Amino acid sequence: MLIPAHLKPGDKIAIVATAKRLESEIEQSIEIVKAWGLVPVFGQHTLTNHGYFAGTDEQKLEDLNWALSDAEVKAIIFLRGGYGTTRILDGVDYAALKSNPKWLVGFSDLTSLLLQLENIGIAGVHGPMLASIGRDDASDNALKELLFGETSFSYTLSAVTQEVTIEAPITGGNLCLVAESIGSENEIDLEGKILFLEEVGEQMYSIDRMLNKLKRCGKLDGCKGLIVGSFSNIGNANNYFSETVEELVSSYFSHLNIPIAYGLMAGHENQNLPLCIGRNAKVQFLKDRLEIEYLE
């Protein structure tokens, strides 16, 4: 696994949009990134509107490939999520990234790209994007520390099923994009890894359907641990499902006898603590917290 070089003050970072168009103010977010000592530069089409999307697929791909190939750009923080990144995944210049690895930071729809990076052997960051920087100090500070080289993090949990230490990479992200990856070049590989999941705005039956798809494909069998992040605004039409969403999720892993951590604040809430995807880590599942030490 290639670990991109950590950032330092004065580094140039690219702001690129690959999904939904911007619909919020970002001035505060830009000032925070500048206060970290970084120099944000925008893709030519980052702030473009094309219907739902932040530009046409060709424009989004042009911006992303520019940022990947520009040696002066040391990291890419994506503008926002929504939907649309999967439309351009197959046209990304991964060879440029392999020859010049850099941190790519995103969540939600960017799960698709993080999984693709992992499959080609490059670590990425599931964490706040530009439009969400400034919503939570703890998340912002943790993201800065991770990008600048910190390797040890302690995150609060609500509960765990087993207190145990596991050495394994963390993978996953948004459940919808994890399930969508099946059958594609960015298909998730869970063998010997810890799965992290989060979701927003889905119905309970949809959560069940996506987890069942992963189970039917045999994706869950090699999983070594599960981290349940934020499941936000989940509906339960007609109250057909009697269990909580956490109970529903964990029921798909009950046969594996693996540790399950609940309540990590990572996902679509204001607090969105970053996780390094694909990088080997020593992860301690403790009673009320998750201790993560990323390894080289």
Side-chain angles (χ1 to χ4, degrees), residues 5 92 99 131 139 183:
V92 175
S99 64
S139 305

Side-chain angles (χ1 to χ4, degrees), residues 21-39:
R21 67 185 190 184
L22 184 66
E23 295 178 316
S24 62
E25 299 295 328
I26 56 172
E27 285 76 9
Q28 179 189 10
S29 305
I30 296 171
E31 291 306 312
I32 291 172
V33 170
K34 288 180 177 179
W36 295 352
L38 301 175
V39 181

Side-chain angles (χ1 to χ4, degrees), residues 164-222:
V164 66
T165 299
I166 297 175
E167 184 174 322
I170 299 170
T171 189
N174 182 261
L175 174 58
C176 184
L177 274 300
V178 168
E180 192 275 343
S181 74
I182 303 300
S184 302
E185 288 294 321
N186 68 326
E187 182 170 325
I188 191 167
D189 176 13
L190 274 176
E191 188 65 36
K193 299 176 184 179
I194 298 168
L195 175 62
F196 159 71
L197 291 175
E198 64 86 20
E199 190 52 271
V200 63
E202 296 286 350
Q203 290 288 323
M204 288 283 280
Y205 71 82
S206 182
I207 301 292
D208 186 75
R209 179 172 56 205
M210 290 185 284
L211 289 167
N212 189 53
K213 176 64 176 294
L214 294 173
K215 179 181 179 181
R216 293 178 62 209
C217 291
K219 286 296 177 181
L220 306 183
D221 296 337

Side-chain angles (χ1 to χ4, degrees), residues 239-251:
N239 294 315
Y240 284 138
F241 286 80
S242 59
E243 63 265 65
T244 66
V245 66
E246 291 82 6
E247 290 169 340
L248 175 61
V249 173
S250 60
S251 69

